[in-house]
Amino acid sequence: MTTTMMRLRQHLASPIYTSAIARIGSRAHHHRLPIAPPQKLRTSTATQNKLLLLLIVLLVCFLFFLIPTVLLPPARTMSSSSSSASDAAAASAPFEKPRAVVKKLLAESQPEGQGATVRRSIGRHELRNLDPFLMLDEFSVSKPAGFPDHPHRGFETVTYMLEGAFTHQDFAGHKGTIRTGDVQWMTAGRGIVHSEMPAGDGVQKGLQLWINLSSKDKMIEPRYQELQSKDISRAEKDGVEVRIIAGEAFGVRSPVYTRTPTMYMDFTMRPGSELHQPVPEGWNAFVYIIDGEGVFGREKSAAVGAHHCLVLGPGDGLSVWNRSGAPLRFALVGGQPLGEPVVQHGPFVMNSRAEIQQAMEDYYYGKNGFERASQWTSSA
């Protein structure tokens, strides 16, 4: 016998229901009708018995449906609450298509320039490029090492100083020093020859990113955008600080103009904080971890530490959690793919082998943008 039926019997056995049923039966028994033929009397008595039986059945049905409702509300409430919580969690999801980490690469040290050391991630054979990005180096340089006179054509270089200072000079007479937190965004275009050397004692650290130019922009005149640290856009929200080199975060936009649509941000997250940063759909994007460790992409993923480059899959945004006891610092970079052939030979990046051959000839013979190359030498 089910628990519900047992409860039903107990309710029907209570004084309230037994007395009510007794009264109904008593009234039916003592009820007197006017004098009528015996057949009519028997018919009336049968009808009353049917009504009594119907009343009892209705009473039983009423109690049968009432008891579970009164006695078992917690189960119904828990089910409803669970459903509501599930709906709320789904509604609060930050992105419809969150970006996951699809490739993880540890940037390993290698020699570069003259006595310098870099940690290269993009640009190695494991990750030749990530359209529109051609190379990413984390450099660590002390005098007298550095990057003496060398040419470029067909792309942009973005140098972001993490510590110390670097002096830049080129064959067009441009010269300047960028210090901790400063940015130099150089468009090499049709051709530039320059040097990049440490400006102070001790170790000078930074990131240099190469961004490809579309075929229509590869032969434009060189230009520079330089931002001092104090002029870089900043924002802070819920334990997350961001320096916006290019693009937009937390409703704040950088003034830097990018020929190839690009976002470049330096995030610092306090312990226990989380970040949900939109990234335009269709853009390629990656993370480079500068300090600390964090969880990227999916909440149940393993934490990843410094000097790792994380390539992000498709989606509309990146989620990050800092569950460690120390700050997490990383660069988030994204760009619109050009979808063009990439042919690279050292510091020249064009769309075909013929264009690369032409760039080498132009540099060697000092023409088509390299006219001043043979007569110039940097002070470095």
Side-chain angles (χ1 to χ4, degrees):
M1 181 181 295
T2 64
T3 304
T4 302
M5 291 302 296
M6 292 179 64
R7 290 173 176 166
L8 178 59
R9 283 194 170 186
Q10 293 174 359
H11 275 63
L12 291 175
S14 69
I16 297 175
Y17 299 115
T18 53
S19 59
I21 294 171
R23 285 196 299 272
I24 293 170
S26 174
R27 290 176 182 175
H29 179 73
H30 294 288
H31 188 69
R32 293 291 182 265
L33 296 175
I35 298 173
Q39 186 175 358
K40 295 277 184 179
L41 182 59
R42 283 195 300 270
T43 302
S44 178
T45 302
T47 301
Q48 290 189 14
N49 289 336
K50 288 180 181 180
L51 289 174
L52 176 61
L53 180 60
L54 177 61
L55 181 60
I56 294 173
V57 170
L58 290 175
L59 180 61
V60 169
C61 292
F62 174 74
L63 294 174
F64 180 77
F65 288 105
L66 176 65
I67 290 171
T69 303
V70 174
L71 299 180
L72 304 176
R76 288 177 174 265
T77 303
M78 288 176 60
S79 175
S80 175
S81 298
S82 176
S83 176
S84 298
S86 176
D87 292 345
S92 63
F95 303 113
E96 290 184 5
K97 303 174 185 176
R99 288 180 178 251
V101 176
V102 297
K103 188 178 185 70
K104 180 174 70 172
L105 184 66
L106 177 63
E108 298 177 352
S109 297
Q110 65 180 61
E112 188 66 33
Q114 183 175 299
T117 300
V118 301
R119 285 180 174 271
R120 181 163 297 168
S121 49
I122 300 174
R124 285 169 43 186
H125 68 276
E126 299 95 331
L127 186 59
R128 183 60 62 191
N129 57 65
L130 183 67
D131 190 13
F133 307 112
L134 304 165
M135 190 192 77
L136 177 67
D137 282 350
E138 178 185 3
F139 59 84
S140 180
V141 184
S142 301
K143 290 181 177 180
F147 309 96
D149 306 5
H150 58 279
H152 291 300
R153 174 181 276 183
F155 61 98
E156 298 180 297
T157 67
V158 183
T159 306
Y160 180 39
M161 292 304 300
L162 301 177
E163 181 181 324
F166 249 64
T167 294
H168 165 274
Q169 52 183 313
D170 68 24
F171 70 173
H174 182 273
K175 183 176 181 179
T177 299
I178 54 174
R179 307 181 186 280
T180 302
D182 295 350
V183 174
Q184 181 197 74
W185 198 296
M186 183 189 78
T187 303
R190 64 199 303 254
I192 200 85
V193 178
H194 71 160
S195 67
E196 302 158 291
M197 301 297 289
D201 297 328
V203 179
Q204 322 299 309
K205 298 180 180 180
L207 299 175
Q208 187 169 92
L209 175 69
W210 289 13
I211 306 175
N212 200 10
L213 288 171
S214 66
S215 56
K216 66 181 178 61
D217 291 330
K218 284 187 178 294
M219 296 299 287
I220 63 175
E221 291 297 323
R223 67 189 297 265
Y224 293 89
Q225 296 178 86
E226 293 183 342
L227 284 178
Q228 293 185 347
S229 179
K230 64 182 179 62
D231 297 322
I232 293 177
S233 302
R234 291 173 170 80
E236 182 176 358
K237 181 180 179 181
D238 300 331
V240 179
E241 300 176 10
V242 60
R243 307 179 86 241
I244 308 159
I245 298 167
E248 181 178 344
F250 299 159
V252 179
R253 176 169 288 278
S254 166
V256 170
Y257 168 73
T258 62
R259 286 190 173 273
T260 301
T262 306
M263 60 184 293
Y264 190 154
M265 300 162 188
D266 175 7
F267 285 99
T268 299
M269 299 178 62
R270 297 174 188 168
S273 63
E274 63 182 72
L275 166 70
H276 305 287
Q277 172 62 37
V279 178
E281 284 198 71
W283 285 25
N284 285 330
F286 69 89
V287 164
Y288 187 78
I289 304 174
I290 301 169
D291 288 308
E293 65 173 28
V295 176
F296 295 84
R298 303 196 183 282
E299 195 168 3
K300 295 183 179 179
S301 300
V304 186
H307 311 302
H308 278 90
C309 179
L310 309 178
V311 179
L312 305 178
D316 55 0
L318 171 68
S319 294
V320 186
W321 296 265
N322 182 4
R323 298 199 178 107
S324 70
L328 165 65
R329 186 182 184 187
F330 63 92
L332 171 62
V333 184
Q336 186 176 57
L338 298 175
E340 298 180 356
V342 176
V343 181
Q344 180 175 352
H345 182 80
F348 304 129
V349 182
M350 304 300 287
N351 296 112
S352 68
R353 291 187 180 277
E355 290 175 337
I356 290 292
Q357 184 64 35
Q358 185 63 55
M360 295 172 68
E361 290 181 9
D362 290 345
Y363 176 59
Y364 183 80
Y365 290 108
K367 61 181 184 177
N368 293 329
F370 290 110
E371 286 80 2
R372 287 168 286 193
S374 60
Q375 292 83 31
W376 179 81
T377 302
S378 71
S379 60

